[in-house]
Amino acid sequence: MFSQLLGGISSYFTFYNILLTFGGVFLGICFGGIPGLTATMGLALLVPLTFTMSPEAGLILLGGLYVGAMYGDAIPAILINTPGSPAAIATTFDGYPLTQKGKAQQALMAAAIASALGSLLGNTVLALAAPPFASFALLFGPAENFWLGILGLTLISSLSATSLLKGLLGSAFGLLISCIGMGPGGSIRLSFGLESLQGAIPLIVSLIGFFCLPEVLQTLGAGGAGKAGQIRSSWKGAVSEVLRTFIAKPLLVVRSAVIGTVVGFAPGAGGNIAGMVSYNEACRFDRSGQMGKGKIEGVIASETSNSAMAPGSLIPLLTLGIPGSPPAAVLIGALMLHSLRPGYELFSGPQSNIIYLFIASLMGAALAVACVGVLGSSVLKYILRVPAAILMPAIVLMSVVGSYAIQYNLLDVKIMFLFGIVGFFARRLYFHPAPIVLGLILGPLIEEGLVQSALKLETEASLISVFLGSTLSRVLCTICLASAFWPFLAKLFLKRNSSSGTEKQTIKSGGTVPVNPDLALGCFGVMMASTFYFMTKHITVFEDMLFVRISLLVLTALSLFSVVISFKKKEKVYIFNDKNEYKTIFTSLFIIGLMIYFLDFLGFIITSLFFNFFIYIMLSKKTKKNPFTYVKAGVVSILLSCAVFYCFQYFFEVYLPTMKFF
Amino acid sequence: MYLKGIRFSVFVLALLLIPVGMAFSEEYPKRPVTYIIPFSPGGQSDLEARRQQPILEKMWGKKVIIQYKPGGGGALAWSFLKRQKKDGSLICGVNLPHIILQPLARENAGFSVTDLKIAALFQETPIGLAVHKDSPFQSLEQFIAVLKDKPKSLTIAGSGSWSGHHITHLLFQEKTKTEAVYIPFKGAAPSVAAFLGKHTNAIWANSNDLLQHKDKIRILAMATAMPYETFVNIPTFKGHGYDVVFSIYRGIAVPAGTDDGIVKKLESAFLDIAKDPRVQKQMKAEGFIPAVMGIKESEAYVTSLQPVLQEIVVRLK
């Protein structure tokens, strides 16, 4: 196998192949870096292009895109606290604090190098040991997936060390929201009578809503100031700081890569949680107590792991023909169209040279990511220097486009807006969105595993033989228990600061609208639980109800507990710093709402133009205003709207709404 | 006098409009055509569309834009299609039996089969029942015998609830007078993975998956009317005396009420692609049966299928 890999590597090194790789990587970074565009969409878009190429060239291009996208999603995570794809959630935990400290460049570089290393290690496993690992992937059945999902939920305990209760509440919200749409038994649940809600709410829409919009509102509320710290260190200084971190922590990289590859195998689990699992482990081994406050190690853990996941998910794909992730599903289609049939024969048969060339190209792509990332970080950091009056509208426009493009559904944009408002107020109550998104990711996995196992009960006698029948499910169950109780054990035996992924926002005393956070969240939870209960009361299909009922029960219990606690703790926080912020935020929400409301009728260009104009004027309120400001605002708005519209149309083939009455 | 004048001008206007109407359909497509996929990217419907996309673009000289609207087992896209302009600028992939089953299985699907006009069906995917290669079941008879002896003692994986696999399962139970436990998965790929990992005893699988994993599985029977040409030696349920015949069809549709000329254009375009020997060869190698069914044949098939499915759903729901 090793010699075959060397053969692959040596035949990879041609100018044409390297050009293809760089092209693919560049596209991948774009698709990964824009929240709402996914690697899957990019791959699907390229597949027809590869028809005219040789199978080798086509695969190299697609592989480059896949690897590039795995890095690209870290860029918005670091710069604007919004993961480009669900896989990069954990990258925000330390990446954004680094930006706030003025170390955006270090974070970007670390992400690129970590991504490349993760990819290289993952691909080495893929090249040398795919067949034996493939059979491991098949061990994941309904019960194992169920335990894997529960294991994912135990991450909350470390993601929300400030308040475990809030973390649990958040994930219960997430679990329930994930029930919207079609259940395993075929009934439509919680659709609010809307046809468009028959499908689940796309993960990316919630992600943009919960992460991106609150961040924008925060900045707008502060009058567009105080976003990122000053970038102080030089390029050279940044490089040496990042490299020193890597050299000091080789174990961190290896551990994260292993976690990523292993999680990548499990069909259905998806790489979405790979980054979080490995971030969690990094916290556990961290002794400084600075995780979550801007440590390069946090970025490394998350990015290494989510990039190692990609080759991991290719293992079951190439050996068994079972895609471990959505982008892998597109790749299998591309393989079939070039009449490469997945199977063990791919690695030993006559077509093995193509596959090893493909793996070599993935490694090449990893190196390309490192180059592009390290050099590009000096360019990317200038995004932070763009004035808020331009950057903020641009981010909002991207959010709108991103949530629209995922399935061309205007309802998704409205949901994104709603989640954004919820996310903003939740954040002001010291409530981090990560547990909600975790619940959203894991809900379907747990539900499917639970329902399928429950159905299996009809044949097998006991609960134990279904849920703990295999060795893997017993192992996973044990890890679940250990992981759930780890924070308590750690507190008992090891006296050290437990780290947290949530940052406390400092709100000055003497603001407006005082709220007791536990009481507010508890009441919200009770309201949501009762609404959802009455909406699903009529459904009788067992498969569709089991998980909803359990989640409702959990949410009700947690909410009531939160209410009880609130009377004891009597905590009080102010939602708004002052009257001015209060006004600005509601004005901004009104303008964004208007834009979304008229989007379908007036088209993207017109609505976004007005939106840009108003935000620009609003943010320049503090400085002197003269006619020239309005002219400038107009020009900037027109340029920005048209740039976004045409860039998406011609470059990404995303067609935005146009005016209806022409 | 006036009346005559009005009549005459109406007549002239009508005459003038005929060529306009003809030109309208003749020139189709005037603008880029949006091709909606009711499932996720990377699925079989997507791959089929990606195969057709460059050929269509060459044929029409216009761009073909592929968009995804997954959700509700396809219902999201079809209820969307219903509300779109009837000018052929938006076409949508359809699957049978899905478009008949979903409005039957739940009242809030948002569309009915009469809201869609099928222009062509271009691909058939037979369904088969398979067990693992090292399974004790050598034949369908043995499998049924065990179920007769102990009802609900075996699990069969399949893709989705009220889907092609689920209906085949229900038909199977009815015709063989047995009961097995159907375990729904979110798609064919995860069901195959769970089956290969021996988390279920058997699987309802599409012919392409059966072909791809043929070394690791034993196909007990195919739910086709005639022996399936890729697996000539494998018996059909019919051959065993059980009338279980069911396939999944893929095709293309526009909103009902679209101009006939446009539907005809689409029919001929998609059937030309379906007849292309290169495309047919690729499809067969992947494990599908190329279908060439136009407007009339598709409509006849839907009409014949509808009462059958209605009866099953009403009785078993």
Side-chain angles (χ1 to χ4, degrees), chain B:
Chain B
M1 189 59 189
Y2 275 123
L3 211 68
K4 229 178 184 178
I6 292 170
R7 260 191 222 155
F8 181 72
S9 44
V10 167
F11 177 72
V12 169
L13 264 177
L15 270 183
L16 279 172
L17 279 176
I18 290 172
V20 172
M22 275 166 68
F24 183 61
S25 55
E26 205 115 293
E27 261 181 49
Y28 176 79
K30 268 190 288 194
R31 291 187 296 145
V33 175
T34 306
Y35 187 160
I36 302 265
I37 307 294
F39 301 98
S40 308
Q44 196 50 52
S45 300
D46 183 25
L47 292 174
E48 213 48 60
R50 295 283 168 194
R51 181 167 21 224
Q52 293 159 344
Q53 186 186 21
I55 312 179
L56 286 173
E57 285 183 341
K58 211 168 163 195
M59 208 186 276
W60 290 339
K62 286 282 177 302
K63 257 186 112 56
V64 173
I65 305 147
I66 294 184
Q67 293 180 353
Y68 307 96
K69 263 190 187 296
L76 183 64
W78 298 317
S79 58
F80 169 80
L81 179 69
K82 179 185 85 175
R83 301 191 299 267
Q84 299 307 304
K85 276 191 213 148
K86 303 177 195 322
D87 60 358
S89 60
L90 196 126
I91 60 178
C92 181
V94 282
N95 290 35
L96 280 167
H98 308 46
I99 53 167
I100 305 176
L101 271 174
Q102 275 158 12
L104 283 178
R106 52 176 205 258
E107 62 265 29
N108 53 1
F111 73 100
S112 82
V113 69
T114 48
D115 293 328
L116 315 174
K117 175 86 183 166
I118 302 178
L121 293 176
F122 41 73
Q123 188 196 62
E124 180 188 348
T125 313
I127 297 170
L129 177 67
V131 292
H132 305 105
K133 193 119 229 178
D134 55 2
S135 144
F137 306 113
Q138 299 295 327
S139 69
L140 184 66
E141 278 348 336
Q142 290 175 354
F143 191 79
I144 292 172
V146 168
L147 283 177
K148 283 232 155 110
D149 191 36
K150 249 174 104 186
K152 289 196 164 189
S153 59
L154 298 171
T155 53
I156 312 183
S159 164
S161 290
W162 300 111
S163 58
H165 290 175
H166 194 188
I167 291 295
T168 317
H169 180 82
L170 295 173
L171 273 174
F172 167 80
Q173 292 195 134
E174 185 183 303
K175 302 288 178 193
T176 58
K177 299 194 173 56
T178 54
E179 267 188 282
V181 178
Y182 177 76
I183 302 202
F185 284 82
K186 278 206 187 85
S191 77
V192 171
F195 164 72
L196 289 179
K198 304 203 172 165
H199 302 282
T200 63
N201 301 103
I203 185 171
W204 293 109
N206 294 338
S207 51
N208 57 319
D209 288 324
L210 293 172
L211 179 68
Q212 189 181 339
H213 301 288
K214 63 180 190 299
D215 309 329
K216 291 170 230 120
I217 61 174
R218 181 181 304 124
I219 307 167
L220 294 180
M222 295 298 295
T224 44
M226 308 290 285
Y228 170 40
E229 72 174 295
T230 309
F231 307 133
V232 194
N233 301 323
I234 289 168
T236 60
F237 284 100
K238 240 185 165 165
H240 279 284
Y242 307 110
D243 190 16
V244 182
V245 177
F246 212 85
S247 284
I248 294 168
Y249 285 87
R250 285 196 177 81
I252 190 85
V254 286
T258 303
D259 185 72
D260 278 342
I262 292 174
V263 187
K264 286 237 168 64
K265 277 252 155 130
L266 283 168
E267 177 194 32
S268 72
F270 278 90
L271 292 188
D272 278 353
I273 297 174
K275 281 183 215 152
D276 183 342
R278 202 179 66 96
V279 170
Q280 291 217 340
K281 203 178 138 212
Q282 272 184 0
M283 266 201 213
K284 279 184 192 160
E286 287 163 17
F288 300 102
I289 303 179
V292 185
M293 290 160 80
I295 304 168
K296 280 209 186 94
E297 291 98 321
S298 311
E299 206 167 282
Y301 180 66
V302 170
T303 333
S304 71
L305 198 58
Q306 210 163 8
V308 181
L309 293 177
Q310 181 132 24
E311 202 218 309
I312 298 175
V313 174
V314 169
R315 190 150 32 88
L316 295 168
K317 205 183 168 188

Side-chain angles (χ1 to χ4, degrees), chain A residues 512-578:
Chain A
T512 48
V513 196
V515 174
N516 182 331
D518 290 306
L519 185 64
L521 291 171
C523 291
F524 183 76
V526 172
M527 261 164 53
M528 180 170 162
S530 45
T531 317
F532 278 28
Y533 173 73
F534 284 109
M535 281 177 70
T536 52
K537 221 173 63 176
H538 63 282
I539 299 174
T540 47
V541 186
F542 167 75
E543 290 99 309
D544 295 326
M545 281 323 296
L546 180 65
F547 184 68
V548 178
R549 288 278 148 82
I550 295 176
S551 314
L552 278 174
L553 219 66
V554 172
L555 178 61
T556 316
L558 286 169
S559 309
L560 291 177
F561 184 65
S562 178
V563 171
V564 172
I565 288 267
S566 73
F567 290 120
K568 244 177 88 188
K569 258 179 27 189
K570 290 218 168 68
E571 194 185 350
K572 207 201 259 172
V573 297
Y574 291 98
I575 295 201
F576 298 106
N577 292 335
D578 47 47

Side-chain angles (χ1 to χ4, degrees), chain A residues 22 102 136 177 215 273 292 336 342 464 509 515 593 621 629 636-637:
Chain A
F22 269 91
F136 177 70
I177 297 173
E215 205 58 54
I273 58 167
M336 302 284 275
I464 294 187
S509 57
V515 174
K621 203 190 277 174
T629 322
V636 166
S637 310

Side-chain angles (χ1 to χ4, degrees), chain A residues 162-218:
Chain A
T162 46
S163 163
L164 186 60
L165 181 64
K166 278 185 196 138
L168 290 172
L169 258 175
S171 59
F173 290 144
L175 290 179
L176 267 177
I177 297 173
S178 81
C179 293
I180 292 175
M182 194 158 77
S187 332
I188 300 296
R189 306 169 301 187
L190 301 165
S191 68
F192 295 85
L194 299 165
E195 280 167 15
S196 308
L197 266 187
Q198 290 188 58
I201 297 173
L203 196 54
I204 210 86
V205 171
S206 331
L207 211 61
I208 297 174
F210 283 126
F211 279 88
C212 195
L213 213 52
E215 205 58 54
V216 173
L217 288 173
Q218 169 88 11

